[in-house]
Amino acid sequence: MFKGFPIIDLHTHLRNDIPRHTKIARENGIDVIVYMANCNPFLDSLEKIKRSLKEKRYCKAIPVAAITKGLEGKELVKIDKIKHYVAGFSDDGRYLKNLNLLKEILEKGVLVLAHCSPSYEVGIKKPYLETNFVERYLNVLKKVDGKLHIQHISQKTTVDLIRGAKKSGIKLTCETCPHYFTYTKKDLSVKINPPLGEKEDILAIKEGLSDGTIDVIASDYAPLPRKTGIAGFRSFIPLSYGLVLEGVLSEKQLREKLYFNPQKIIEGGGYKLKL
Ligand SMILES: [Zn+2]
């Protein structure tokens, strides 16, 4: 609990050690974490999800199911069977190439969490990779009344795109992570996806948080060695609270980004979050 409200981290990776990582989350003041499907094994069937839910945890930890079997982007998982046990569906770093599958799952009314940037090149100019991907998803969302949440946006062009989409009445939500409003690529040379940006990206992310374009701050926690430790539970609350000290967000707004909005997003997808 933090100043009287629980902290929800909407984007984490626990791999194959739920007890250890939930303990670190708890020690750092995080009450609820939502973990992605790329555990070991991948969470792509009800049986695997139930097994994952039986593992010991030190804070509330809600799984996200894969959208497709084996995260391969080919065949949808059994959505109706699985949906009551998970916060939502995501293929995370293995973004969904097949937009027909995205449309199909959005039509089910479940929460879909979409990675904003593929982990490999697909013939799109690098500086705009993220924004282009979000645009692809938005084009699908225009045609269906689904629940789409875009994960960890990092670029000014993406903030501008989402702001415009929201103004035009498209319903979607999005998140950023503390490293995207704290460091430029000149500050830290780390390999991370999406990559750190420039000063103008940091400014745009802060503006997006402040004007409500960006709904949520999430950590994208991933156990070492994958991410060099930049996306962590330890810095999650201090760096987020830094936005209040800096005057970017009010305390009320921070509460929205860390509790109220993530809760609304999870419950909007049909999951009952008992806190
Ligand atoms: Zn992730």
Side-chain angles (χ1 to χ4, degrees):
M1 286 282 203
F2 174 75
K3 290 215 171 196
F5 64 89
I7 303 272
I8 303 175
D9 185 348
L10 197 57
H11 186 166
T12 73
H13 300 267
L14 305 184
R15 302 281 187 262
N16 53 2
D17 200 344
I18 293 178
R20 189 163 91 85
H21 300 300
T22 51
K23 197 159 182 257
I24 300 172
R26 167 60 80 202
E27 283 165 1
N28 286 282
I30 300 160
D31 301 275
V32 181
I33 60 177
V34 174
Y35 60 101
M36 294 301 130
N38 59 349
C39 293
N40 184 13
F42 294 153
L43 304 178
D44 59 0
S45 73
L46 184 56
E47 193 201 343
K48 289 178 199 163
I49 289 161
K50 280 187 172 169
R51 221 182 300 145
S52 172
L53 282 166
K54 277 193 194 130
E55 281 193 59
K56 186 169 175 54
R57 50 249 286 143
Y58 291 89
C59 68
K60 198 172 176 62
I62 314 165
V64 164
I67 295 176
T68 59
K69 285 186 187 155
L71 298 170
E72 282 176 350
K74 289 178 188 149
E75 192 187 338
L76 289 181
V77 298
K78 301 238 172 337
I79 296 160
D80 293 321
K81 259 181 145 182
I82 292 172
K83 65 181 181 191
H84 305 291
Y85 297 86
V86 295
F89 293 80
S90 179
D91 274 0
D92 197 70
R94 315 269 190 100
Y95 77 100
L96 250 190
K97 207 171 188 176
N98 184 340
L99 294 179
N100 292 328
L101 291 179
L102 179 65
K103 186 165 176 276
E104 215 177 301
I105 189 165
L106 283 170
E107 278 167 350
K108 295 262 185 192
V110 293
L111 172 65
V112 178
L113 302 110
H115 206 276
C116 64
S117 170
S119 28
Y120 49 91
E121 297 266 357
V122 280
I124 296 174
K125 259 188 162 175
K126 221 174 186 175
Y128 303 108
L129 203 59
E130 173 185 301
T131 312
N132 272 292
F133 265 76
V134 175
E135 203 164 18
R136 286 169 79 239
Y137 298 141
L138 291 183
N139 287 336
V140 177
L141 195 61
K142 274 178 201 160
K143 294 174 215 146
V144 277
D145 186 22
K147 296 184 178 73
L148 184 68
H149 175 78
I150 309 281
Q151 294 175 299
H152 52 46
I153 65 164
S154 70
Q155 294 186 334
K156 180 182 187 305
T157 44
T158 313
V159 178
D160 292 344
L161 177 72
I162 293 179
R163 183 181 291 118
K166 283 187 168 184
K167 268 189 193 145
S168 76
I170 298 178
K171 275 193 216 129
L172 81 152
T173 56
C174 70
E175 72 190 28
T176 191
C177 307
H179 36 281
Y180 296 124
F181 56 73
T182 308
Y183 310 109
T184 65
K185 60 183 175 194
K186 286 190 197 90
D187 297 328
L188 288 179
S189 64
V190 286
K191 234 182 155 208
I192 190 164
N193 183 38
L196 296 174
E198 312 276 356
K199 268 203 180 108
E200 58 163 27
D201 296 305
I202 292 191
L203 285 175
I205 293 286
K206 286 180 178 173
E207 217 178 292
L209 281 163
S210 157
D211 72 10
T213 302
I214 304 174
D215 309 272
V216 169
I217 304 172
S219 74
D220 195 19
Y221 172 85
L224 292 167
R226 190 191 114 204
K227 277 206 169 154
T228 63
I230 185 181
F233 287 145
R234 275 185 194 100
S235 55
F236 181 55
I237 296 175
L239 291 180
S240 300
Y241 194 73
L243 294 176
V244 174
L245 299 178
E246 221 184 293
V248 173
L249 296 180
S250 65
E251 290 207 0
K252 184 175 168 276
Q253 282 177 305
L254 185 68
R255 183 190 168 117
E256 282 169 11
K257 313 292 178 197
L258 297 180
Y259 165 49
F260 188 61
N261 289 345
Q263 181 188 37
K264 217 161 71 178
I265 290 165
I266 295 169
E267 295 202 331
Y271 187 90
K272 285 281 152 283
L273 189 64
K274 294 178 206 96
L275 289 175

